[in-house]
Amino acid sequence: MAHATPRLIHRGDLIAALDRAATRKVTIISAPAGSGKTSLLRAWADRPGQQRRLAVLQVQRDQQDAQQFWLALLDAVRQASATIGRAEPSAATPDFNAPAMVDRVLAELADARGGVTLVIDDLHELTSPQAFTQLTRLLMNLPADVHAILTARHDVLPRLHQLRLAGELAEIRAADLRFSEREARELLDASGIALSAAGAALLYQRTEGWAAGLRLAVVSLAGHPDPDRFVTEFSGSDRTVAEYLLAEMLERQPPDVQDLLLRTSLLDRVNGELADLLTGRPGSERILLSLEDANAFVESLDPERAWFRYHRLLADFLRLELRRTLPEEVPALHRRAAAWFIVHGQVVTAIRHTQEARDWADAARLLADRSFSLTLDGQAQTMQALVQAFPPGADHPELALVRAMGDLAQGRLDDAGAHLAVAEAHVRTTTPDRRRRLGVAIASLQLALARRRGHLAGVVEHVRFLDSPVSGQSDADIALGSDLRAVALMNLGTAEAWTLGVPDAVRHLQEGAVLAREIGRPYLEVGCLAQLAFAYIYHSADKPNSDAFATTQRRCREAIALAEQHGWGAEPAIAPALMTLAGTMMFVGEFDEAEHWLRRTERALQTDTGPDIRLLLHQTAGMLNASRGRHHEALEEFGAAQDLASQLEGSQALASQLTGWLLATQARLGLPGEARARLAALDDEMAGSGETRNARAVICLAEGDPAAALDALRDVLNGTAPVLGYVTVVEAQLLAGLAHRELGDQRAANQAAERALALAESDRLVLPFAMTGAAELLRALPRHQTAHAALLADILDVLDGSSPGAEEPSSLPPAEELTPAELRVLRYLPTNLSRPEIAGELSVSVNTVNAQVRSIYAKLQVGDRSAAVQRARELRLLFAGRTH
């Protein structure tokens, strides 16, 4: 092999410039391809005396998935901070929460004592706008001892002007990276190139100090019979220079090396085994290692030097040469590569090569077969990009399944249904083994669609596919079958929980969680456990049970803990557990704690706009407001929940409860006429539920007719009216007590209150006492006569602490003094979010949040966050409206 070895020369001025830049927060190295960006980083990092730990990430070519980028960055930071062994392995999720991932990276950087330099190479390859938005946030909030270096071919983060103005941004440009004439001469001398002074000057002039051009010239000049003539004939633009020198380099290689370079150029990265496959002969790894040692624009990608990539300029040129010299072999080479990547589990790369071979039907089949696994691996965006790569107008019914997944993720439910119909019709024409595999995928998506629409009827028959695993010959087929089954069990159990098919829901969700754990799908396990917590609270809801709330809370916390281990504490999948935990806290009177978990639920649902889960969020928020006597806010929340319920095709689990509380809240706000009108529009089943009968009693009490209220409650109290759970009966007893009290029968009122306390005793239930406004009823109960004195005292303590004050201290400033922006910030102060996290939630800068917090403190006349929260609660500013 004829080549020279272009040595790395010491570029002390540039390294010193990079050292100076490292004293600032961020350094950007922006220059075209071949300018020496990566070489400078290596020289700077490898020099003697380098003390800082480096977290290095090279962005993969055409990286479209924000999640893949952030997971790789997190792993790089963990490697540098030596936490990789202590932390859970990074795992992809179908529902990716970028702000939460940024928080994880920032936390890892903050925990890395001694300082870390974060290096992101080839940032121009990142094509995800979401990733860039969150990367800007990361860079703006780096810990004090962390420095970031970014390299790119062009400026990709234009929103760093604040760092520039603050003097925290250093920039190294193409002009800074150009070789000086002296450095060019040193490079030639170090590589053993005998070139005259005039020839060296001419070469420098022709290349304009472009690092790639000089290195290519060194390779091409090696062994040239007349180096000065070569330089004289050498001219043109950078592109012309590159093509000329690359041709010179290729032609000077032995035939086997040329053949290897050409045939493997269609790969983004290559190893010896794959190169042997494409060339049809052994020994490729030795050639690749020799090319890297020669600095022939081949570089290894891992410490073991097993994987290699070609310089982009070289790769582009080689691909042109391949198409020019071996056009008939290109499709076959892509097919061989695709087969190798399938065997080695790299499905996306295999699909891309199949598309490059123009085997569109095979590519569509492969994408459809692996679509669920790709979704679970967090590659939904990549999957949709693969769909876009198919020729426009091409009829590939296989892709309907993939398109349905994308529609579901975006909430386009009608489009998802249409694509599923196409997929279902197509699956009947496939081979038996694929028919079963795709059938399970379709059944799973049908269940997911049904869950989003609140409609289970007509879809459950798809569950017949769950009776046995997907058949197949390969391990990939078996793994895929397990993935599909776990997803289907999760969706089925969730749908059953929503229709109160509780025993089946619990069974299916438990099976799904066990299977997900066995196959190493923690995201699915978290999803099953979160829904299981929601379902379990109704498992024993028909009667008091001392373990019901405690067991539910334990299940919620187990699901949340598992999610947090993997960094999914703010993902939509964990929202049911967060919300159920908030609900159980409310049931036992822990209203402040309930509010904390409710706010966490809100953050987890930022990326999920589905009517189903948001319905529960608004309903739970309405319960919290009603418990605290904030009936206007409660009505707003219950109304929002009812609007979302109208978008669902079937009734949801808590429909009667929501209806009853909405009607009761209207009545308590002095709107019994509106409540009556809504009551009259209900169907017989809803009107006859215990929850609606309780609401009818509240309306009667508001109208001054306690006798009619008792009549409305009769079937609830005697056990003939259907109820959602025993909480409804506790509520009915309290309403009966209020009615007896209005009729002047204090003895009957006390007896009703005593029965309510007896039902509530085992679970220490507080919520119905708060929502019915039963404080005065309880105070009239003789303490020495009740068998539940301790519970009575606890309930009264909670009710007294949760009631809003009758008067506002005159010394407090009026609420109007806070601007809308300040109110938005104020409502995050009771949470555990830091100021940078609040800024991320509101999509503003930390400086803006700091300024607004200072203004809030001044207007509320307080000196710290705790005092601000206390004063805001006194003024009832924290619950005057929604923050979103």
Side-chain angles (χ1 to χ4, degrees):
M1 184 185 307
H3 59 76
T5 304
R7 307 294 182 185
L8 286 177
I9 66 170
H10 180 66
R11 306 190 71 190
D13 292 342
L14 270 178
I15 290 176
L18 200 50
D19 274 334
R20 290 192 298 272
T23 63
R24 305 183 188 183
K25 190 175 288 291
V26 177
T27 298
I28 293 178
I29 305 177
S30 178
S35 297
K37 302 182 292 294
T38 301
S39 297
L40 171 62
L41 280 177
R42 286 181 176 175
W44 177 77
D46 294 342
R47 73 192 192 283
Q50 168 63 271
Q51 298 295 322
R52 294 182 68 87
R53 287 172 288 172
L54 302 182
V56 181
L57 170 65
Q58 184 169 47
V59 181
Q60 296 299 309
R61 188 171 192 176
D62 194 23
Q63 178 62 268
Q64 296 171 325
D65 277 292
Q67 181 165 196
Q68 297 297 311
F69 168 79
W70 283 106
L71 288 175
L73 184 60
L74 178 62
D75 284 341
V77 171
R78 285 176 166 177
Q79 291 282 1
S81 58
T83 62
I84 194 74
R86 302 196 306 269
E88 287 291 329
S90 302
T93 71
D95 303 306
F96 176 56
N97 189 314
M101 179 61 79
V102 173
D103 293 338
R104 291 180 67 189
V105 175
L106 287 171
E108 292 282 352
L109 290 170
D111 290 342
R113 295 180 176 83
V116 169
T117 296
L118 185 62
V119 179
I120 305 178
D121 200 11
D122 285 344
L123 187 56
H124 56 272
E125 294 290 358
L126 185 63
T127 59
S128 166
Q130 181 193 32
F132 275 119
T133 298
Q134 297 304 327
L135 180 58
T136 300
R137 176 173 165 241
L138 174 80
L139 297 174
M140 295 291 293
N141 295 282
L142 288 174
D145 59 349
V146 175
H147 175 62
I149 302 176
L150 317 175
T151 79
R153 293 185 182 179
H154 52 83
D155 289 344
V156 292
L157 288 171
R159 298 180 61 188
L160 294 181
H161 56 279
Q162 292 179 333
L163 289 176
R164 185 178 288 110
L165 292 174
E168 291 292 342
L169 180 65
E171 299 172 84
I172 296 177
R173 301 286 178 177
D176 303 310
L177 291 170
R178 290 194 186 109
F179 274 58
S180 67
E181 189 169 351
R182 174 185 58 78
E183 289 174 327
R185 181 78 254 185
E186 289 177 2
L187 178 63
L188 291 168
D189 291 343
S191 301
I193 304 299
L195 195 61
S196 67
L202 180 59
L203 179 62
Y204 177 77
Q205 180 184 354
R206 297 281 171 85
T207 61
E208 297 182 358
W210 178 46
L214 288 168
R215 291 199 302 272
L216 284 165
V218 168
V219 172
S220 299
L221 282 166
H224 198 285
D226 191 349
D228 282 284
R229 182 175 64 82
F230 170 85
V231 173
T232 302
E233 295 173 352
F234 175 70
S235 63
S237 65
D238 281 357
R239 181 174 180 180
T240 303
V241 168
E243 291 176 354
Y244 181 90
L245 291 175
L246 285 167
E248 281 286 314
M249 189 273 282
L250 181 63
E251 290 173 359
R252 290 177 176 274
Q253 303 303 325
D256 60 334
V257 176
Q258 290 188 38
D259 188 64
L260 180 147
L261 290 170
L262 286 173
R263 292 176 183 275
T264 59
S265 64
L266 49 76
L267 303 168
D268 287 334
R269 59 189 193 123
V270 62
N271 64 12
E273 179 184 342
L274 190 49
D276 287 347
L277 176 67
L278 297 189
T279 60
R281 58 181 176 273
S284 299
E285 185 174 41
R286 174 183 54 79
I287 295 175
L288 291 167
L289 289 168
S290 297
L291 287 169
E292 185 188 30
D293 291 339
N295 275 335
F297 299 94
V298 177
E299 62 179 345
S300 58
L301 297 174
D302 54 341
E304 294 78 20
R305 298 178 74 192
W307 283 94
F308 302 85
R309 75 173 179 94
Y310 302 150
H311 190 284
R312 300 289 158 74
L313 295 175
L314 175 61
D316 291 342
F317 169 76
L318 290 172
R319 287 166 186 161
L320 287 172
E321 281 295 293
L322 177 65
R323 291 194 295 270
R324 183 180 68 83
T325 59
L326 300 171
E328 70 285 350
E329 295 194 35
V330 172
L333 290 171
H334 279 296
R335 291 186 190 107
R336 283 190 223 166
W340 189 93
F341 283 114
I342 289 174
V343 170
H344 290 81
Q346 300 181 41
V347 179
V348 169
T349 307
I351 295 171
R352 284 175 174 156
H353 281 291
T354 307
Q355 290 176 326
E356 290 289 343
R358 301 296 188 265
D359 296 339
W360 300 113
D362 290 341
R365 187 178 304 112
L366 184 58
L367 180 54
D369 285 350
R370 299 298 192 272
S371 54
F372 250 94
S373 293
L374 290 174
T375 300
L376 296 178
D377 288 335
Q379 300 195 64
Q381 295 302 317
T382 294
M383 195 164 62
Q384 295 308 313
L386 290 171
V387 172
Q388 296 300 319
F390 284 86
D395 182 19
H396 294 292
E398 303 267 9
L399 298 180
L401 182 67
V402 185
R403 291 192 171 103
M405 290 181 185
D407 293 333
L408 272 175
Q410 298 296 320
R412 298 189 295 265
L413 303 187
D414 291 340
D415 291 342
H419 281 128
L420 278 175
V422 174
E424 198 166 15
H426 169 69
V427 75
R428 291 191 287 268
T429 68
T430 61
T431 59
D433 60 327
R434 296 192 69 247
R435 190 178 306 150
R436 170 153 186 77
R437 181 188 304 114
L438 294 176
V440 176
I442 291 171
S444 298
L445 287 176
Q446 289 280 20
L447 286 171
L449 181 60
R451 174 170 64 87
R452 304 293 294 197
R453 286 175 165 170
H455 177 59
L456 187 60
V459 182
V460 175
E461 65 267 20
H462 291 284
V463 182
R464 65 179 182 272
F465 289 104
L466 302 178
D467 292 338
S468 60
V470 174
S471 60
Q473 301 300 317
S474 68
D475 291 341
D477 286 328
I478 296 172
L480 180 61
S482 298
D483 284 344
L484 293 174
R485 182 175 171 80
V487 170
L489 284 168
M490 181 179 69
N491 280 305
L492 176 61
T494 301
E496 288 168 336
W498 272 71
T499 55
L500 288 186
V502 176
D504 288 338
V506 170
R507 176 170 57 85
H508 286 134
L509 290 169
Q510 287 175 335
E511 289 177 5
V514 171
L515 177 59
R517 190 179 310 118
E518 290 174 350
I519 64 177
R521 288 292 191 187
Y523 190 80
L524 291 181
E525 184 182 359
V526 166
C528 288
L529 291 177
Q531 294 289 355
L532 185 61
F534 169 70
Y536 188 80
I537 195 171
Y538 301 105
H539 193 54
S540 304
D542 57 336
K543 59 183 179 300
N545 183 338
S546 59
D547 293 329
F549 289 112
T551 301
T552 301
Q553 287 185 6
R554 185 172 67 253
R555 288 182 177 273
C556 290
R557 293 186 186 278
E558 287 172 356
I560 294 167
L562 180 60
E564 289 176 340
Q565 286 177 17
H566 293 278
W568 303 328
E571 296 286 341
I574 198 60
L578 295 170
M579 195 151 33
T580 302
L581 185 55
T584 59
M585 291 295 178
M586 271 187 283
F587 275 114
V588 297
E590 298 286 346
F591 297 139
D592 289 340
E593 186 74 4
E595 184 171 5
H596 163 73
W597 292 108
L598 195 60
R599 296 294 169 255
R600 280 197 55 175
T601 308
E602 286 182 335
R603 295 198 295 275
L605 289 177
Q606 283 182 338
T607 60
D608 191 318
T609 58
D612 45 0
I613 191 70
R614 286 202 164 270
L615 183 160
L616 291 181
L617 175 63
H618 285 293
Q619 181 167 333
T620 308
M623 293 163 59
L624 179 62
N625 282 309
S627 300
R628 287 175 154 168
R630 302 179 183 121
H631 298 303
H632 285 286
E633 292 87 344
L635 183 60
E636 180 183 347
E637 296 288 1
F638 289 142
Q642 194 81 316
D643 290 342
L644 290 171
S646 67
Q647 300 177 27
L648 302 177
E649 294 183 7
S651 62
Q652 52 100 5
L654 308 180
S656 61
Q657 199 173 66
L658 171 60
T659 300
W661 283 339
L662 189 150
L663 294 173
T665 304
Q666 285 183 315
R668 289 175 177 127
L669 281 172
L671 303 171
E674 293 185 18
R676 284 276 181 197
R678 189 182 288 265
L679 182 63
L682 298 179
D683 59 39
D684 291 342
E685 181 180 0
M686 181 65 72
S689 71
E691 290 74 32
T692 303
R693 290 176 184 274
N694 282 359
R696 190 189 302 273
V698 176
I699 295 171
C700 293
L701 287 172
E703 293 171 336
D705 191 349
L710 288 173
D711 185 63
L713 294 168
R714 183 175 298 108
D715 287 347
V716 184
L717 297 175
N718 65 26
T720 59
V723 296
L724 184 61
Y726 83 96
V727 174
T728 301
V729 182
V730 175
E731 188 178 76
Q733 292 288 0
L734 293 172
L735 293 173
L738 292 172
H740 286 303
R741 191 165 179 265
E742 289 293 320
L743 291 170
D745 189 346
Q746 189 61 49
R747 181 172 177 273
N750 290 348
Q751 289 175 339
E754 187 72 9
R755 286 192 289 270
L757 288 169
L759 286 170
E761 180 73 59
S762 60
D763 286 323
R764 311 297 291 174
L765 199 63
V766 174
L767 181 71
F769 297 90
M771 293 191 70
T772 56
E776 293 305 318
L777 177 67
L778 296 181
R779 289 192 183 96
L781 195 64
R783 299 287 183 97
H784 63 279
Q785 294 181 3
T786 179
H788 311 284
L791 176 60
L792 175 63
D794 289 345
I795 293 173
L796 287 174
D797 285 346
V798 172
L799 298 186
D800 291 340
S802 65
S803 301
E807 297 182 2
E808 296 179 356
S810 58
S811 61
L812 295 178
E816 290 74 22
E817 286 193 19
L818 294 183
T819 67
E822 290 166 350
L823 284 170
R824 284 195 294 272
V825 172
L826 174 66
R827 287 168 196 147
Y828 279 98
L829 296 187
T831 71
N832 293 327
L833 294 180
S834 66
R835 292 189 185 184
E837 290 171 331
I838 295 173
E841 295 287 332
L842 296 175
S843 299
V844 299
S845 70
V846 177
N847 289 337
T848 298
V849 171
N850 289 337
Q852 289 169 346
V853 169
R854 287 194 296 270
S855 180
I856 290 169
Y857 288 0
K859 290 180 179 181
L860 296 184
Q861 303 174 15
V862 297
D864 57 36
R865 185 167 178 165
S866 177
V869 170
Q870 180 61 35
R871 185 65 57 89
R873 283 179 172 147
E874 293 171 352
L875 286 169
R876 301 183 64 191
L877 295 179
L878 295 175
F879 310 97
R882 307 293 297 149
T883 59
H884 299 294

